[in-house]
Amino acid sequence: MIEFKHVYKTYGADRHTLRDISFNINKGEFVFLTGPSGAGKTTLFKLISAYEKISSGEVFVLGHSLAKLKKGQIPFLRRKIGFVLQNYKLLKNKTVYENVELPLVILDVAQKEREQRVTEMLRQVGLETVKDQYPDYLSGGEQQRVAIARALIHEPEIIIADEPTGNLDPELSKTILNLFFEFSKKGVTFLVATHDYRLIDKQKCRLLKVDNGQLVEDAVV
Amino acid sequence: MKLNSLKISLFIIITLSITLIISGLLVYKNFVGFLGAWNQSNKMNIYLKVDTTESERNKLIAFIKKQKSVSSAELVDRNKAGLNFQSSLKEFSSGLVTMDELIDLIPESIEVDLENSLSLQERDQAFAALAQSVQEQPLVEEINYGATWIKKFEKIDQVFRSAGIFAFLVLLVSISYLVALMVRIYIDDSKQEIEIYSLIGATRWSIYQLFLKDVFIFLCVSLVVSFVVLFAAFTYIKSKLVTSGLAETFIENMSFLSFNEITFVVFMLFVFIYVNCFLTIQSSVNRLNQISNE
C-alpha cells in the first residue's frame, strides 16, 4: 500500500530532511508515526501525498511510483487518500454539511447519493445536529470530527493524519482515535503522526519512529 | 457565489475600469466626428469664366458628375451667389453694396460635393484628382476647395487618432494589470480554499475554474452595467445639448458606439483582462497549491 525504499529528501545542497528511509505499510494496517518536532514526519506525509518530490530512492503509494507519476495524475492519487490535519483545514464560508460533501463534489457523485452518504457520515461522527453550522461556531473537537468525516466520506484507501489530536483534550483525543479504529477495521489503512505517547501506549499497533530524518524504530508496541 | 468585501471591491474596480475605457472611446469617437463634420460640410467651388454658354456649363457639370466619389454638382448662378453672399454677411452688408453691384462682382460657379463616407484624407485626394481633371477645361477660371485647411485638419486628425489609439492601449494595459492585481489579492485571500481543494484531489484546472468563473461573471456584469450607465448618460447629455441649441452640427453628429465598435471593445477587454487574469490565477494557484502549517 505504501512502500519507501531508501528514500532521501534534501533541501539545498546538504540539508537532509529524510535519510535512507525504508518501510512498508500493508492494506488495513494502523501505523503510528512518531518523533520529535522537525524529525521529518510532515516531510514524509508530503512525499506520500506528492506535494514534495523525493531526492533519491523510491516511494510507491497504491502501486504508483511517485517518481514516475505525472503532474496531472497527482489529484487522482490524492482522491484515494484522506487527510486529517491538526489545523482542520475547513472552509469557513461553507457549512459542516458542505465541507463534508466537498470530496464527493470533486468526484462528481450524483446529488442524491451525496445527500445519503453525507447524512450517514455525519451520523457516524455524531455531527448530524450541527450540519448547517459554520466551522467557526464549532468546538475544536467538532471541527476535527468534520475534518475526519471529510477525509472518510469518499471511502479512501489510506488516511493520513498529522497530529489529529494535537489541539484536543485527552477525552476527545480518545473519542477521535476510537473513530479511527472503527474505520481501520473496515480495511482503511491509517498512518497517524502524533507526539501523544499516551495514545500509543493504550493501543496495540505498529509504531514508526523517526528522528533527525532517520527511521530509528519500526516495531509493534 | 457568496459575496465578500474583496469580491465586491473586485467587481467595482472592473466596472469602473471598463466604464473609463468605454467613456474614453466615446469622447474620442465624437471628437473625431466633430472634426469630420467640418470636413463633410466643405465643398469644392469651380469658378467659371465670363460669358460661358448654358450648353458648355451643362457639359462640364455632366463631366464632373461622372468623376469618382462625386455625389453632386450644381450650378450657382450670379443671383444665387449674390444672395448667399448677402446672407453670410447678414446685417453688416445692408446698404454697403447693392445686389446689382454684387452680381457684377461674383462669377458663376459649380458647387461640387463628395460622398459623406470619405475620410479626411480620401476627401482631400478626391478633391485634388477632380481639380486636376477639371482645371484643363477651357471655361474654368479658378478652383477652390480649401486645400490648405484640409491639410491642416488632416494633421490635427492624424495627431488625435494616434494619441487616441496610444491612450486607449495604455489605458487597456494598465487597467488589465490593475484588475489582475486585484485578482491576485483575491486569490491570496482564498489561499486556504486552494489548499483544501488540492488536498481533496481537485485538479489544477478545476481550481482555476473556481476563480475564472467569478472573474467571468464580474466581467460580464460589469460590461452590461458600464454600457447601460454610459448609454443613459450619453442620451441625457445629448438631449440637454439639443435643448440648449448650442453647436448644432456637433450635436447632429454625436453618436453612441456602433454594434461593430461595441463588439471590438468587448473583444479587446475580454482578451486583455481575461487572459491577464487567467495568467495571474494560474501562477497564484500553482504558488499556493501546497500544504501550509497555518
Side-chain angles (χ1 to χ4, degrees):
Chain A
M1 187 116 302
I2 301 172
E3 192 179 359
F4 272 59
K5 285 183 180 176
H6 307 290
V7 172
Y8 284 81
K9 176 67 189 170
T10 54
Y11 292 98
D14 53 357
R15 208 187 125 211
H16 292 272
T17 310
L18 294 179
R19 284 184 242 188
D20 197 19
I21 300 270
S22 296
F23 63 83
N24 192 7
I25 299 173
N26 296 317
K27 186 174 164 61
E29 258 193 287
F30 197 107
V31 181
F32 278 114
L33 181 66
T34 187
S37 295
K41 300 189 297 291
T42 305
T43 307
L44 216 128
F45 282 168
K46 283 183 178 177
L47 290 181
I48 296 170
S49 49
Y51 277 103
E52 299 273 357
K53 283 184 174 175
I54 51 171
S55 304
S56 69
E58 269 188 295
V59 176
F60 292 91
V61 178
L62 296 163
H64 300 281
S65 166
L66 295 191
K68 290 174 188 163
L69 204 65
K70 287 177 186 164
K71 231 178 181 179
Q73 293 174 304
I74 294 172
F76 298 96
L77 175 77
R78 286 188 195 142
R79 288 176 193 183
K80 293 174 185 168
I81 304 172
F83 295 90
V84 182
L85 305 173
Q86 186 179 0
N87 35 22
Y88 321 128
K89 303 277 183 199
L90 300 176
L91 289 175
K92 289 176 181 177
N93 59 347
K94 291 195 187 287
T95 62
V96 167
Y97 182 94
E98 289 166 337
N99 266 287
V100 177
E101 187 191 28
L102 218 52
L104 300 181
V105 175
I106 299 290
L107 287 169
D108 224 6
V109 174
Q111 169 83 29
K112 207 171 177 185
E113 194 186 335
R114 285 206 308 258
E115 262 180 49
Q116 285 172 351
R117 283 168 69 173
V118 175
T119 310
E120 173 57 21
M121 182 54 71
L122 288 174
R123 193 194 57 75
Q124 284 187 54
V125 296
L127 289 174
E128 64 267 57
T129 52
V130 292
K131 70 183 177 87
D132 294 323
Q133 289 199 29
Y134 288 91
D136 279 349
Y137 298 98
L138 303 177
S139 68
E142 285 171 325
Q143 288 191 46
Q144 191 60 297
R145 275 187 282 162
V146 177
I148 291 167
R150 189 188 61 195
L152 291 164
I153 188 77
H154 56 300
E155 294 166 359
E157 295 179 50
I158 302 169
I159 292 284
I160 287 176
D162 193 2
E163 303 287 355
T165 57
N167 293 333
L168 309 177
D169 60 58
E171 199 54 41
L172 212 53
S173 301
K174 207 175 136 189
T175 313
I176 298 287
L177 208 66
N178 286 336
L179 202 62
F180 281 178
F181 279 118
E182 257 178 60
F183 282 97
S184 173
K185 282 172 197 162
K186 292 175 187 169
V188 181
T189 307
F190 274 81
L191 183 56
V192 181
T194 184
H195 276 111
D196 195 347
Y197 286 95
R198 286 171 304 174
L199 282 180
I200 305 166
D201 288 346
K202 288 171 188 167
Q203 316 296 335
K204 191 188 172 193
C205 53
R206 188 172 162 198
L207 175 76
L208 295 177
K209 192 173 180 183
V210 283
D211 194 4
N212 200 20
Q214 285 178 306
L215 187 64
V216 291
E217 194 181 335
D218 182 354
V220 175
V221 290
Chain B
M1 182 171 60
K2 283 172 186 163
L3 288 175
N4 58 31
S5 58
L6 205 59
K7 281 187 183 179
I8 293 167
S9 306
L10 178 63
F11 173 69
I12 290 170
I13 283 189
I14 293 178
T15 308
L16 291 179
S17 304
I18 291 173
T19 309
L20 191 68
I21 286 184
I22 301 170
S23 55
L25 270 179
L26 205 54
V27 170
Y28 167 75
K29 181 190 171 172
N30 283 291
F31 191 77
V32 171
F34 180 58
L35 289 176
W38 173 86
N39 172 38
Q40 281 173 12
S41 66
N42 183 33
K43 289 170 185 168
M44 175 186 260
N45 285 305
I46 301 168
Y47 295 102
L48 305 176
K49 284 179 181 164
V50 192
D51 304 327
T52 55
T53 65
E54 197 179 337
S55 72
E56 282 175 326
R57 289 192 297 258
N58 288 342
K59 226 174 163 180
L60 181 61
I61 289 171
F63 172 78
I64 292 167
K65 280 183 174 173
K66 280 181 193 166
Q67 301 305 303
K68 199 183 161 192
S69 307
V70 172
S71 67
S72 71
E74 279 175 29
L75 179 76
V76 181
D77 62 25
R78 286 179 167 174
N79 287 325
K80 197 178 168 188
L83 286 169
N84 285 348
F85 190 70
Q86 246 187 355
S87 77
S88 63
L89 286 177
K90 289 182 182 167
E91 70 266 24
F92 301 109
S93 68
S94 65
L96 203 64
V97 195
T98 66
M99 195 59 177
D100 289 339
E101 285 169 330
L102 261 178
I103 289 170
D104 276 345
L105 285 170
I106 302 168
E108 280 180 325
S109 64
I110 298 170
E111 196 177 71
V112 183
D113 199 3
L114 299 179
E115 289 161 0
N116 277 344
S117 58
L118 298 179
S119 70
L120 206 57
Q121 286 88 340
E122 287 167 339
R123 211 171 169 87
D124 182 30
Q125 283 165 6
F127 272 142
L130 184 62
Q132 204 173 19
S133 60
V134 169
Q135 70 189 0
E136 300 303 322
Q137 299 282 332
L139 61 160
V140 173
E141 177 75 47
E142 196 187 321
I143 300 169
N144 185 6
Y145 61 93
T148 328
W149 277 105
I150 288 181
K151 289 267 182 269
K152 282 180 185 172
F153 267 96
E154 246 179 62
K155 278 182 187 162
I156 294 170
D157 185 65
Q158 272 172 1
V159 168
F160 273 109
R161 275 178 202 276
S162 311
I165 291 165
F166 179 73
F168 175 68
L169 287 174
V170 168
L171 205 61
L172 197 63
V173 170
S174 42
I175 278 169
S176 58
Y177 272 99
L178 178 73
V179 173
L181 185 71
M182 274 304 292
V183 168
R184 192 188 163 110
I185 294 169
Y186 164 47
I187 295 171
D188 280 355
D189 189 59
S190 313
K191 186 182 165 186
Q192 205 177 24
E193 205 168 334
I194 295 168
E195 211 178 309
I196 292 164
Y197 274 98
S198 149
L199 205 63
I200 58 175
T203 58
R204 283 189 190 209
W205 179 243
S206 60
I207 299 175
Y208 297 159
Q209 277 181 320
L210 290 173
F211 300 100
L212 282 172
K213 193 181 76 187
D214 283 357
V215 174
F216 182 79
I217 293 169
F218 288 155
L219 205 52
C220 289
V221 177
S222 297
L223 276 166
V224 172
V225 169
S226 303
F227 274 115
V228 168
V229 166
L230 280 173
F231 185 74
F234 176 82
T235 313
Y236 175 76
I237 291 168
K238 194 174 174 177
S239 71
K240 280 280 166 195
L241 285 171
V242 167
T243 49
S244 71
L246 290 167
E248 279 172 28
T249 328
F250 172 61
I251 297 161
E252 275 169 22
N253 282 285
M254 264 178 85
S255 61
F256 196 70
L257 300 178
S258 67
F259 178 75
N260 286 344
E261 286 162 341
I262 291 173
T263 312
F264 170 75
V265 174
V266 170
F267 175 76
M268 290 296 275
L269 286 170
F270 256 94
V271 168
F272 269 81
I273 297 180
Y274 209 57
V275 167
N276 214 343
C277 285
F278 177 75
L279 295 174
T280 308
I281 288 168
Q282 201 179 28
S283 66
S284 302
V285 168
N286 291 348
R287 180 168 47 85
L288 298 170
N289 190 2
Q290 53 188 302
I291 303 176
S292 73
N293 295 322
E294 286 165 25

Short mmCIF file of all heavy atoms in Angstrom, two decimals, chain B residues 28-69:
data_model
loop_
_atom_site.label_atom_id
_atom_site.label_comp_id
_atom_site.label_asym_id
_atom_site.label_seq_id
_atom_site.Cartn_x
_atom_site.Cartn_y
_atom_site.Cartn_z
N TYR B 28 -13.59 60.18 -27.58
CA TYR B 28 -12.67 60.19 -28.73
C TYR B 28 -13.47 60.12 -30.04
O TYR B 28 -13.24 60.89 -30.96
CB TYR B 28 -11.72 58.99 -28.60
CG TYR B 28 -10.93 58.69 -29.84
CD1 TYR B 28 -9.84 59.49 -30.20
CD2 TYR B 28 -11.25 57.61 -30.64
CE1 TYR B 28 -9.11 59.21 -31.34
CE2 TYR B 28 -10.52 57.32 -31.78
CZ TYR B 28 -9.45 58.13 -32.12
OH TYR B 28 -8.72 57.86 -33.25
N LYS B 29 -14.43 59.18 -30.09
CA LYS B 29 -15.22 58.99 -31.32
C LYS B 29 -15.96 60.27 -31.70
O LYS B 29 -15.95 60.69 -32.85
CB LYS B 29 -16.21 57.85 -31.09
CG LYS B 29 -17.05 57.57 -32.32
CD LYS B 29 -18.19 56.64 -32.05
CE LYS B 29 -19.09 56.60 -33.28
NZ LYS B 29 -20.11 55.60 -33.20
N ASN B 30 -16.57 60.93 -30.70
CA ASN B 30 -17.36 62.12 -31.01
C ASN B 30 -16.48 63.32 -31.31
O ASN B 30 -16.88 64.19 -32.09
CB ASN B 30 -18.33 62.41 -29.87
CG ASN B 30 -19.51 61.47 -29.94
OD1 ASN B 30 -20.33 61.56 -30.85
ND2 ASN B 30 -19.58 60.51 -29.03
N PHE B 31 -15.28 63.36 -30.73
CA PHE B 31 -14.36 64.45 -31.04
C PHE B 31 -13.87 64.33 -32.48
O PHE B 31 -13.86 65.31 -33.23
CB PHE B 31 -13.18 64.43 -30.07
CG PHE B 31 -12.35 65.68 -30.16
CD1 PHE B 31 -12.78 66.86 -29.59
CD2 PHE B 31 -11.15 65.67 -30.84
CE1 PHE B 31 -12.03 68.02 -29.71
CE2 PHE B 31 -10.39 66.81 -30.96
CZ PHE B 31 -10.82 68.00 -30.38
N VAL B 32 -13.50 63.12 -32.86
CA VAL B 32 -13.07 62.87 -34.24
C VAL B 32 -14.24 63.14 -35.19
O VAL B 32 -14.08 63.71 -36.27
CB VAL B 32 -12.52 61.43 -34.38
CG1 VAL B 32 -12.27 61.08 -35.84
CG2 VAL B 32 -11.22 61.28 -33.60
N GLY B 33 -15.45 62.78 -34.75
CA GLY B 33 -16.65 63.03 -35.54
C GLY B 33 -16.89 64.51 -35.73
O GLY B 33 -17.36 64.95 -36.79
N PHE B 34 -16.54 65.30 -34.71
CA PHE B 34 -16.68 66.75 -34.78
C PHE B 34 -15.78 67.32 -35.88
O PHE B 34 -16.18 68.18 -36.66
CB PHE B 34 -16.34 67.34 -33.41
CG PHE B 34 -16.46 68.84 -33.36
CD1 PHE B 34 -17.66 69.46 -33.66
CD2 PHE B 34 -15.38 69.61 -32.99
CE1 PHE B 34 -17.78 70.85 -33.60
CE2 PHE B 34 -15.49 71.00 -32.94
CZ PHE B 34 -16.69 71.61 -33.25
N LEU B 35 -14.56 66.82 -35.93
CA LEU B 35 -13.63 67.24 -37.00
C LEU B 35 -14.19 66.82 -38.36
O LEU B 35 -14.12 67.57 -39.33
CB LEU B 35 -12.26 66.60 -36.80
CG LEU B 35 -11.41 67.09 -35.64
CD1 LEU B 35 -10.13 66.29 -35.55
CD2 LEU B 35 -11.07 68.56 -35.80
N GLY B 36 -14.77 65.64 -38.40
CA GLY B 36 -15.33 65.09 -39.64
C GLY B 36 -16.53 65.89 -40.11
O GLY B 36 -16.78 66.00 -41.31
N ALA B 37 -17.28 66.47 -39.15
CA ALA B 37 -18.46 67.25 -39.52
C ALA B 37 -18.05 68.47 -40.35
O ALA B 37 -18.71 68.82 -41.32
CB ALA B 37 -19.19 67.69 -38.26
N TRP B 38 -16.95 69.10 -39.95
CA TRP B 38 -16.45 70.23 -40.74
C TRP B 38 -16.04 69.74 -42.14
O TRP B 38 -16.36 70.34 -43.15
CB TRP B 38 -15.23 70.87 -40.04
CG TRP B 38 -14.62 71.92 -40.93
CD1 TRP B 38 -14.99 73.22 -41.03
CD2 TRP B 38 -13.58 71.71 -41.89
NE1 TRP B 38 -14.24 73.86 -42.00
CE2 TRP B 38 -13.37 72.96 -42.54
CE3 TRP B 38 -12.80 70.62 -42.27
CZ2 TRP B 38 -12.41 73.12 -43.54
CZ3 TRP B 38 -11.87 70.80 -43.27
CH2 TRP B 38 -11.67 72.03 -43.90
N ASN B 39 -15.38 68.60 -42.12
CA ASN B 39 -14.89 68.01 -43.37
C ASN B 39 -16.04 67.76 -44.35
O ASN B 39 -15.94 68.06 -45.53
CB ASN B 39 -14.17 66.71 -43.02
CG ASN B 39 -13.77 65.90 -44.22
OD1 ASN B 39 -13.38 66.47 -45.23
ND2 ASN B 39 -13.89 64.60 -44.13
N GLN B 40 -17.16 67.24 -43.80
CA GLN B 40 -18.29 66.91 -44.68
C GLN B 40 -18.98 68.16 -45.24
O GLN B 40 -19.57 68.12 -46.31
CB GLN B 40 -19.30 66.06 -43.91
CG GLN B 40 -18.84 64.62 -43.83
CD GLN B 40 -19.74 63.78 -42.93
OE1 GLN B 40 -20.81 64.22 -42.55
NE2 GLN B 40 -19.27 62.60 -42.62
N SER B 41 -18.89 69.27 -44.48
CA SER B 41 -19.57 70.48 -44.96
C SER B 41 -18.71 71.23 -45.99
O SER B 41 -19.17 72.15 -46.65
CB SER B 41 -19.88 71.40 -43.77
OG SER B 41 -18.68 71.85 -43.22
N ASN B 42 -17.45 70.84 -46.10
CA ASN B 42 -16.54 71.51 -47.06
C ASN B 42 -16.85 71.06 -48.49
O ASN B 42 -16.91 69.87 -48.77
CB ASN B 42 -15.10 71.15 -46.69
CG ASN B 42 -14.10 71.85 -47.58
OD1 ASN B 42 -14.34 72.97 -48.02
ND2 ASN B 42 -13.00 71.19 -47.87
N LYS B 43 -17.03 72.02 -49.39
CA LYS B 43 -17.35 71.71 -50.79
C LYS B 43 -16.35 72.38 -51.72
O LYS B 43 -15.68 73.34 -51.34
CB LYS B 43 -18.77 72.18 -51.11
CG LYS B 43 -19.83 71.33 -50.44
CD LYS B 43 -21.20 71.92 -50.57
CE LYS B 43 -22.18 71.06 -49.76
NZ LYS B 43 -23.45 71.71 -49.59
N MET B 44 -16.30 71.89 -52.97
CA MET B 44 -15.39 72.48 -53.97
C MET B 44 -16.18 73.51 -54.81
O MET B 44 -17.32 73.23 -55.20
CB MET B 44 -14.83 71.38 -54.87
CG MET B 44 -13.98 71.91 -56.02
SD MET B 44 -13.51 70.56 -57.13
CE MET B 44 -11.86 70.25 -56.56
N ASN B 45 -15.57 74.66 -55.04
CA ASN B 45 -16.19 75.67 -55.91
C ASN B 45 -15.36 75.82 -57.17
O ASN B 45 -14.16 76.12 -57.11
CB ASN B 45 -16.27 77.00 -55.19
CG ASN B 45 -17.37 76.99 -54.14
OD1 ASN B 45 -18.52 76.69 -54.45
ND2 ASN B 45 -16.99 77.25 -52.90
N ILE B 46 -15.98 75.58 -58.32
CA ILE B 46 -15.28 75.74 -59.61
C ILE B 46 -15.83 77.03 -60.24
O ILE B 46 -17.02 77.07 -60.65
CB ILE B 46 -15.52 74.52 -60.52
CG1 ILE B 46 -15.02 73.25 -59.82
CG2 ILE B 46 -14.85 74.71 -61.87
CD1 ILE B 46 -15.45 71.96 -60.49
N TYR B 47 -15.01 78.08 -60.21
CA TYR B 47 -15.46 79.38 -60.74
C TYR B 47 -15.29 79.39 -62.27
O TYR B 47 -14.23 78.99 -62.79
CB TYR B 47 -14.67 80.52 -60.10
CG TYR B 47 -14.95 80.61 -58.61
CD1 TYR B 47 -14.03 80.10 -57.68
CD2 TYR B 47 -16.13 81.16 -58.15
CE1 TYR B 47 -14.30 80.13 -56.33
CE2 TYR B 47 -16.40 81.20 -56.79
CZ TYR B 47 -15.50 80.69 -55.89
OH TYR B 47 -15.77 80.72 -54.55
N LEU B 48 -16.34 79.85 -62.93
CA LEU B 48 -16.35 79.82 -64.40
C LEU B 48 -15.97 81.18 -64.98
O LEU B 48 -16.15 82.23 -64.34
CB LEU B 48 -17.73 79.40 -64.89
CG LEU B 48 -18.27 78.08 -64.32
CD1 LEU B 48 -19.69 77.83 -64.81
CD2 LEU B 48 -17.37 76.91 -64.73
N LYS B 49 -15.47 81.12 -66.23
CA LYS B 49 -15.11 82.37 -66.92
C LYS B 49 -16.39 83.12 -67.31
O LYS B 49 -17.47 82.53 -67.35
CB LYS B 49 -14.28 82.04 -68.16
CG LYS B 49 -12.86 81.65 -67.82
CD LYS B 49 -12.07 81.31 -69.06
CE LYS B 49 -10.66 80.91 -68.64
NZ LYS B 49 -9.97 80.23 -69.71
N VAL B 50 -16.27 84.37 -67.62
CA VAL B 50 -17.44 85.17 -68.01
C VAL B 50 -17.89 84.70 -69.41
O VAL B 50 -17.10 84.17 -70.19
CB VAL B 50 -17.05 86.67 -68.04
CG1 VAL B 50 -18.29 87.56 -68.15
CG2 VAL B 50 -16.23 87.04 -66.83
N ASP B 51 -19.16 84.85 -69.68
CA ASP B 51 -19.75 84.57 -70.99
C ASP B 51 -19.68 83.10 -71.41
O ASP B 51 -19.38 82.79 -72.55
CB ASP B 51 -19.12 85.44 -72.09
CG ASP B 51 -19.23 86.91 -71.77
OD1 ASP B 51 -20.25 87.28 -71.13
OD2 ASP B 51 -18.30 87.66 -72.10
N THR B 52 -19.91 82.20 -70.48
CA THR B 52 -19.99 80.77 -70.86
C THR B 52 -21.44 80.48 -71.25
O THR B 52 -22.36 81.07 -70.68
CB THR B 52 -19.58 79.83 -69.70
OG1 THR B 52 -20.40 80.16 -68.59
CG2 THR B 52 -18.13 79.97 -69.36
N THR B 53 -21.62 79.56 -72.20
CA THR B 53 -22.99 79.26 -72.63
C THR B 53 -23.57 78.16 -71.73
O THR B 53 -22.82 77.43 -71.05
CB THR B 53 -23.01 78.76 -74.10
OG1 THR B 53 -22.32 77.52 -74.13
CG2 THR B 53 -22.40 79.76 -75.05
N GLU B 54 -24.90 78.05 -71.77
CA GLU B 54 -25.58 77.06 -70.92
C GLU B 54 -25.18 75.63 -71.28
O GLU B 54 -24.99 74.78 -70.41
CB GLU B 54 -27.10 77.24 -71.05
CG GLU B 54 -27.83 76.55 -69.92
CD GLU B 54 -29.33 76.71 -70.02
OE1 GLU B 54 -29.81 77.67 -70.65
OE2 GLU B 54 -30.02 75.85 -69.45
N SER B 55 -25.04 75.37 -72.59
CA SER B 55 -24.68 74.01 -73.01
C SER B 55 -23.26 73.65 -72.55
O SER B 55 -23.00 72.51 -72.15
CB SER B 55 -24.81 73.86 -74.53
OG SER B 55 -23.78 74.56 -75.18
N GLU B 56 -22.37 74.64 -72.59
CA GLU B 56 -20.98 74.39 -72.11
C GLU B 56 -21.00 74.05 -70.61
O GLU B 56 -20.32 73.13 -70.17
CB GLU B 56 -20.13 75.64 -72.35
CG GLU B 56 -19.67 75.83 -73.78
CD GLU B 56 -18.92 77.15 -73.96
OE1 GLU B 56 -19.25 78.15 -73.29
OE2 GLU B 56 -17.99 77.17 -74.78
N ARG B 57 -21.81 74.82 -69.90
CA ARG B 57 -21.88 74.60 -68.44
C ARG B 57 -22.46 73.21 -68.13
O ARG B 57 -21.97 72.49 -67.30
CB ARG B 57 -22.74 75.68 -67.78
CG ARG B 57 -22.08 77.05 -67.77
CD ARG B 57 -22.82 78.00 -66.86
NE ARG B 57 -24.18 78.27 -67.28
CZ ARG B 57 -24.59 79.39 -67.91
NH1 ARG B 57 -23.71 80.33 -68.18
NH2 ARG B 57 -25.84 79.56 -68.24
N ASN B 58 -23.54 72.89 -68.85
CA ASN B 58 -24.19 71.58 -68.63
C ASN B 58 -23.24 70.42 -68.96
O ASN B 58 -23.22 69.39 -68.28
CB ASN B 58 -25.46 71.45 -69.47
CG ASN B 58 -26.55 72.33 -68.91
OD1 ASN B 58 -26.48 72.76 -67.75
ND2 ASN B 58 -27.54 72.65 -69.73
N LYS B 59 -22.45 70.61 -69.99
CA LYS B 59 -21.47 69.60 -70.41
C LYS B 59 -20.44 69.38 -69.30
O LYS B 59 -20.09 68.24 -68.94
CB LYS B 59 -20.76 70.08 -71.68
CG LYS B 59 -20.65 69.04 -72.78
CD LYS B 59 -20.08 69.73 -73.99
CE LYS B 59 -19.55 68.73 -74.98
NZ LYS B 59 -18.99 69.39 -76.16
N LEU B 60 -20.00 70.51 -68.74
CA LEU B 60 -18.99 70.44 -67.67
C LEU B 60 -19.58 69.76 -66.41
O LEU B 60 -18.94 68.91 -65.79
CB LEU B 60 -18.48 71.85 -67.33
CG LEU B 60 -17.41 71.92 -66.25
CD1 LEU B 60 -16.15 71.16 -66.66
CD2 LEU B 60 -17.05 73.36 -65.92
N ILE B 61 -20.83 70.15 -66.10
CA ILE B 61 -21.49 69.53 -64.91
C ILE B 61 -21.62 68.01 -65.11
O ILE B 61 -21.33 67.22 -64.20
CB ILE B 61 -22.87 70.19 -64.65
CG1 ILE B 61 -22.66 71.62 -64.13
CG2 ILE B 61 -23.70 69.38 -63.65
CD1 ILE B 61 -23.92 72.45 -64.05
N ALA B 62 -22.01 67.62 -66.33
CA ALA B 62 -22.15 66.18 -66.63
C ALA B 62 -20.80 65.48 -66.50
O ALA B 62 -20.72 64.36 -65.95
CB ALA B 62 -22.71 66.00 -68.03
N PHE B 63 -19.72 66.16 -66.96
CA PHE B 63 -18.38 65.58 -66.86
C PHE B 63 -17.97 65.40 -65.38
O PHE B 63 -17.45 64.35 -64.98
CB PHE B 63 -17.38 66.50 -67.59
CG PHE B 63 -15.94 66.12 -67.37
CD1 PHE B 63 -15.37 65.05 -68.06
CD2 PHE B 63 -15.14 66.82 -66.45
CE1 PHE B 63 -14.05 64.71 -67.85
CE2 PHE B 63 -13.82 66.46 -66.24
CZ PHE B 63 -13.27 65.40 -66.96
N ILE B 64 -18.25 66.43 -64.59
CA ILE B 64 -17.89 66.39 -63.15
C ILE B 64 -18.64 65.25 -62.44
O ILE B 64 -18.05 64.51 -61.64
CB ILE B 64 -18.18 67.75 -62.47
CG1 ILE B 64 -17.22 68.81 -63.01
CG2 ILE B 64 -18.03 67.66 -60.95
CD1 ILE B 64 -17.61 70.23 -62.67
N LYS B 65 -19.93 65.13 -62.75
CA LYS B 65 -20.75 64.11 -62.07
C LYS B 65 -20.25 62.69 -62.34
O LYS B 65 -20.51 61.77 -61.54
CB LYS B 65 -22.22 64.24 -62.50
CG LYS B 65 -22.96 65.36 -61.76
CD LYS B 65 -24.40 65.40 -62.16
CE LYS B 65 -25.16 66.42 -61.30
NZ LYS B 65 -26.53 66.61 -61.79
N LYS B 66 -19.57 62.53 -63.49
CA LYS B 66 -19.06 61.20 -63.82
C LYS B 66 -17.79 60.85 -63.04
O LYS B 66 -17.37 59.69 -63.01
CB LYS B 66 -18.74 61.13 -65.33
CG LYS B 66 -19.96 60.90 -66.20
CD LYS B 66 -19.53 60.82 -67.64
CE LYS B 66 -20.75 60.91 -68.54
NZ LYS B 66 -20.35 61.18 -69.93
N GLN B 67 -17.17 61.86 -62.42
CA GLN B 67 -15.91 61.62 -61.72
C GLN B 67 -16.14 60.80 -60.43
O GLN B 67 -17.23 60.86 -59.84
CB GLN B 67 -15.21 62.95 -61.37
CG GLN B 67 -14.90 63.85 -62.56
CD GLN B 67 -14.09 63.15 -63.63
OE1 GLN B 67 -13.00 62.65 -63.37
NE2 GLN B 67 -14.62 63.09 -64.85
N LYS B 68 -15.08 60.11 -60.05
CA LYS B 68 -15.15 59.21 -58.87
C LYS B 68 -15.47 59.98 -57.58
O LYS B 68 -14.93 61.07 -57.38
CB LYS B 68 -13.78 58.52 -58.73
CG LYS B 68 -13.81 57.27 -57.90
CD LYS B 68 -12.41 56.73 -57.76
CE LYS B 68 -12.35 55.78 -56.60
NZ LYS B 68 -10.97 55.46 -56.26
N SER B 69 -16.33 59.41 -56.75
CA SER B 69 -16.69 59.91 -55.42
C SER B 69 -17.55 61.18 -55.42
O SER B 69 -17.88 61.70 -54.35
CB SER B 69 -15.46 60.18 -54.54
OG SER B 69 -14.65 59.05 -54.49
#
